[in-house]
Amino acid sequence: NAGVTQTPKFRILKIGQSMTLQCTQDMNHNYMYWYRQDPGMGLKLIYYSVGAGITDKGEVPNGYNVSRSTTEDFPLRLELAAPSQTSVYFCASSYSELAGEGNEQFFGPGTRLTVL
Amino acid sequence: RKEVEQDPGPFNVPEGATVAFNCTYSNSASQSFFWYRQDCRKEPKLLMSVYSSGNEDGRFTAQLNRASQYISLLIRDSKLSDSATYLCVVNSHRGGSYIPTFGRGTSLIVHP
């Protein structure tokens, strides 16, 4: 049981390039999330999904796109990379909706992205 | 006012000390609350949920005060291995789903 996996671990992009950050979970979780974490800051929600085929915007969606064609995978797409997108990106999943006590999120190890 | 606020610290304490962190939230309709631990350059991991009645897990105690809109984390008998950043997470209902909001974290350094 690998949990939540993310690839790549590190990436350097030039301004204007595109890339996809991969996220896969093997826990059969319906809910998946993408966050970014800037130095010294908390995590900010980019996009989330409540199940295959359903995605919605979080707090900071501009410059990103997502898709959810399967329960396991939730890729994050950067179309035109900008220096402001330099950050650490975390993917997470949860078994159920984060409504009640005890519903935790499981995080992947993160992708460190630098845009130059 | 930020939706979830934490004192970034760092809190610098000796081994064996008791230390407490608070986290305030602005949305009175917030539904569930958590403390996560994040080690340097690692992903966050759940430390404990915060139950309405308060809860304890070994040396760690979490409390919720809905009237004053804050949660707290108390660590007793601090260990060197407790050095980390502690993230407060508040889940609120928005647009049909429960959305998590993270605080910026409180840094704890436990020294010998």
Side-chain angles (χ1 to χ4, degrees):
Chain A
N1 196 339
V4 181
T5 57
Q6 292 183 238
T7 56
K9 286 190 170 53
F10 305 92
R11 183 73 186 268
I12 298 175
L13 281 182
K14 293 183 180 176
I15 294 172
Q17 285 186 319
S18 301
M19 76 164 294
T20 299
L21 282 67
Q22 301 292 347
C23 174
T24 300
Q25 52 90 10
D26 63 359
M27 298 175 282
N28 202 32
H29 286 173
N30 283 323
Y31 294 79
M32 296 187 75
Y33 314 84
W34 272 107
Y35 296 91
R36 60 176 288 172
Q37 186 176 31
D38 299 328
M41 303 300 288
L43 281 70
K44 292 193 184 301
L45 184 65
I46 304 171
Y47 271 94
Y48 66 99
S49 169
V50 302
I54 307 169
T55 63
D56 210 343
K57 296 178 181 178
E59 185 184 354
V60 289
N62 291 345
Y64 308 94
N65 276 302
V66 293
S67 59
R68 184 96 183 270
S69 55
T70 66
T71 300
E72 295 78 20
D73 301 307
F74 190 39
L76 177 72
R77 177 92 180 149
L78 281 72
E79 289 295 348
L80 291 168
S84 60
Q85 293 177 304
T86 294
S87 192
V88 180
Y89 291 83
F90 289 104
C91 178
S93 72
S94 64
Y95 176 70
S96 61
E97 194 169 35
L98 300 175
E101 298 170 344
N103 294 337
E104 71 172 290
Q105 295 178 71
F106 296 84
F107 284 84
T111 294
R112 295 182 182 279
L113 176 67
T114 302
V115 182
L116 300 173
Chain B
R1 181 183 173 186
K2 285 186 184 171
E3 195 163 338
V4 177
E5 291 203 70
Q6 293 183 254
D7 180 347
F11 285 64
N12 209 318
V13 303
E15 268 186 296
T18 295
V19 62
F21 310 134
N22 277 346
C23 167
T24 59
Y25 60 94
S26 60
N27 185 348
S28 59
S30 295
Q31 195 75 11
S32 58
F33 310 87
F34 301 83
W35 284 102
Y36 279 75
R37 172 191 168 128
Q38 186 175 28
D39 293 306
C40 189
R41 301 177 75 82
K42 298 283 191 182
E43 72 272 23
K45 292 186 179 174
L46 181 69
L47 177 67
M48 57 197 302
S49 302
V50 185
Y51 297 116
S52 299
S53 54
N55 47 301
E56 190 174 303
D57 183 2
R59 298 181 293 111
F60 299 85
T61 300
Q63 302 246 318
L64 167 63
N65 186 318
R66 283 194 184 271
S68 301
Q69 294 182 205
Y70 73 86
I71 66 172
S72 64
L73 177 68
L74 181 78
I75 305 175
R76 289 181 298 278
D77 189 23
S78 298
K79 312 288 185 196
L80 295 176
S81 57
D82 292 335
S83 298
T85 297
Y86 292 83
L87 303 170
C88 165
V89 184
V90 175
N91 296 327
S92 308
H93 193 259
R94 210 171 301 161
S97 295
Y98 286 87
I99 305 301
T101 301
F102 281 72
R104 62 180 291 186
T106 297
S107 175
L108 173 64
I109 300 170
V110 181
H111 58 83

